[in-house]
């Protein structure tokens, strides 16, 4: 006896369309946020005397004997390395039969790097606060470090993303810290870099191919690592912000009435602000990617995959 399948149990056309609409909206909003942050930070921190004086005061604490004794992490980021990274991303995507995703991930890296380079040329820094440090908005190193992390995550199977994200986030924070410690960049340069990487990731994820399609390699794996990563990111953001605010209060208190602020404390505050910018963007991307919860993906036949 042949039984008629229960069509009510099958997803409707509207239900099938829902996740796509949600994905486009979610990532489109993040792209919009990145698009707004870039000119906003530039206008406040670069085009005003107060913004320039505040950021330049932190540079007064820069010394050659500061925390990092090597710029190896910064020297890793170069044009040949960027091109090699794009090739590796495409190769991994091709091996997973996700070439379209690999090309989209490569676009995130190249477009972010190109936008950062272009803005350095057109976003001039007016000399309105007697600054001796040339224009550096935004940070190309921080842009590429974040864009590379986001691109690698796109081609990485979901069950491996927790480890990849923690390693990549640590490197991006390290790069942001080094650029500030060495006096290469100000906090606004790092914030602008984060916004650029977020903008292009949002554009590609909203209008490009779906990164996860429910195939075997897209299954979540164990819930524990995902929850650990979420906790680590949230705690890290809280700790970094607390240290940064404390350093800023100490710096301002030291100069109360005299106007001579503690530049070392301001440098710590600047480093923490730069680290917080990176960590906040990484956390937002992690949550937007849906990796923080235990919702099961489905396989290509629509059967829920085990978490």
């Amino acid at each position: 006896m042949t039984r008629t399948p229960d069509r009510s149990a099958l997803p409707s056309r509207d239900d099938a369309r829902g996740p796509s609409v949600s994905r486009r909206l979610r990532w489109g909003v993040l792209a919009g946020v990145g698009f707004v942050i870039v000119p906003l930070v530039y206008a406040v921190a670069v085009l005003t005397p107060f913004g320039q004086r505040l950021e330049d005061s932190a540079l007064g604490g820069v010394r050659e004997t500061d925390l990092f004794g090597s710029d190896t992490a910064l020297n890793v980021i170069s044009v040949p390395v960027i091109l090699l990274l794009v090739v590796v991303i495409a190769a991994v995507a091709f091996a997973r039969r996700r070439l379209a995703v690999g090309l989209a991930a490569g676009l995130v890296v190249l477009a972010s790097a190109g936008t950062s380079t272009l803005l350095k040329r057109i976003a001039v820094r007016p000399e309105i606060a007697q600054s001796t440090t040339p224009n550096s908005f935004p940070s190309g190193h921080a842009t590429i470090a974040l864009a590379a992390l986001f691109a690698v995550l796109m081609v990485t199977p979901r069950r491996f993303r927790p480890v990849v994200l923690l390693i990549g986030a640590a490197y991006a924070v390290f790069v942001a810290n080094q650029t500030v410690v060495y006096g290469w960049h100000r906090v606004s340069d790092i914030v602008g870099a984060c916004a650029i990487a977020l903008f292009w990731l949002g554009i590609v994820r909203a209008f490009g191919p779906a990164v996860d399609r429910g195939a075997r390699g897209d299954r979540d794996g164990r819930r524990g690592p995902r929850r650990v990563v979420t906790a680590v990111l949230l705690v890290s953001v809280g700790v970094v912000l607390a240290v940064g605010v404390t350093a800023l209060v100490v710096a301002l208190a030291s100069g109360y009435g005299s106007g001579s602020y503690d530049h070392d404390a301001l440098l710590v505050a600047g480093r923490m602000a730069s680290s917080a910018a990176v960590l906040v963007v990484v956390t937002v991307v992690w949550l937007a990617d849906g990796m923080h919860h235990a919702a099961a993906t489905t396989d290509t036949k629509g059967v829920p995959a085990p978490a």
Side-chain angles (χ1 to χ4, degrees):
M1 178 178 178
T2 302
R3 301 181 61 182
T4 303
D6 183 6
R7 296 185 180 277
S8 62
L10 300 177
S12 66
R13 187 170 299 178
D14 291 337
D15 293 335
R17 192 184 300 120
S20 177
V21 173
S22 174
R23 171 176 66 89
R24 293 182 188 278
L25 178 61
R26 181 169 66 250
W27 292 106
V29 168
L30 291 182
V33 170
F35 183 82
V36 171
I37 288 177
V38 173
L40 182 62
V41 170
Y42 175 71
V44 172
V46 181
L47 297 183
T48 65
F50 173 77
Q52 288 196 8
R53 285 195 296 268
L54 180 63
E55 291 201 301
D56 288 346
S57 61
L59 297 181
V62 173
R63 298 187 303 269
E64 292 183 359
T65 57
D66 266 311
L67 178 60
F68 302 112
S70 171
D71 59 355
T72 303
L74 300 180
N75 291 334
V76 167
I77 300 176
S78 60
V79 174
V81 171
I82 295 172
L83 296 178
L84 177 62
L85 175 64
V86 172
V87 172
V88 171
I89 288 173
V92 171
F94 180 79
R96 297 187 62 210
R97 300 181 181 179
R98 308 297 298 278
L99 184 57
V101 175
L103 295 177
L107 177 62
V108 171
V109 176
L110 296 178
S112 297
T115 301
S116 180
T117 301
L118 179 62
L119 283 179
K120 281 180 179 292
R121 297 181 180 275
I122 64 177
V124 297
R125 183 181 184 86
E127 298 301 331
I128 54 180
Q130 291 76 48
S131 173
T132 59
T133 304
N135 177 46
S136 59
F137 183 86
S139 167
H141 285 80
T143 300
I144 295 170
L146 268 176
L149 169 59
F150 297 155
V152 171
L153 286 174
M154 288 177 64
V155 298
T156 301
R158 287 176 67 89
R159 61 184 181 276
F160 298 135
R161 286 181 201 167
V163 174
V164 172
L165 182 131
L166 287 180
I167 295 175
Y171 177 75
V173 169
F174 189 75
V175 167
N177 259 279
Q178 278 198 305
T179 59
V180 174
V181 167
Y182 287 160
W184 291 13
H185 289 290
R186 304 167 177 86
V187 176
S188 61
D189 303 332
I190 306 301
V191 176
C194 294
I196 290 172
L198 180 64
F199 168 76
W200 281 111
L201 176 67
I203 289 294
V204 169
R205 293 294 299 266
F207 302 104
V211 171
D212 298 323
R213 60 183 181 184
R216 182 178 181 85
D218 295 331
R219 296 177 183 175
D220 285 338
R222 296 183 179 274
R223 300 177 184 179
R226 300 201 306 278
R227 293 174 176 174
V228 169
V229 170
T230 304
V232 168
L233 289 175
L234 294 177
V235 170
S236 297
V237 170
V239 170
V240 167
L241 287 176
V243 173
V245 170
T246 301
L248 181 61
V249 170
V250 170
L252 295 179
S254 66
Y256 182 75
S258 65
S260 178
Y261 300 107
D262 186 337
H263 291 292
D264 290 338
L266 282 175
L267 178 60
V268 173
R271 289 173 53 195
M272 294 301 101
S274 300
S275 300
V278 173
L279 289 172
V280 167
V281 170
V282 171
T283 302
V284 168
V285 169
W286 172 258
L287 298 178
D289 197 34
M291 291 295 295
H292 59 290
H293 58 69
T297 57
T298 57
D299 62 20
T300 53
K301 296 181 180 180
V303 178

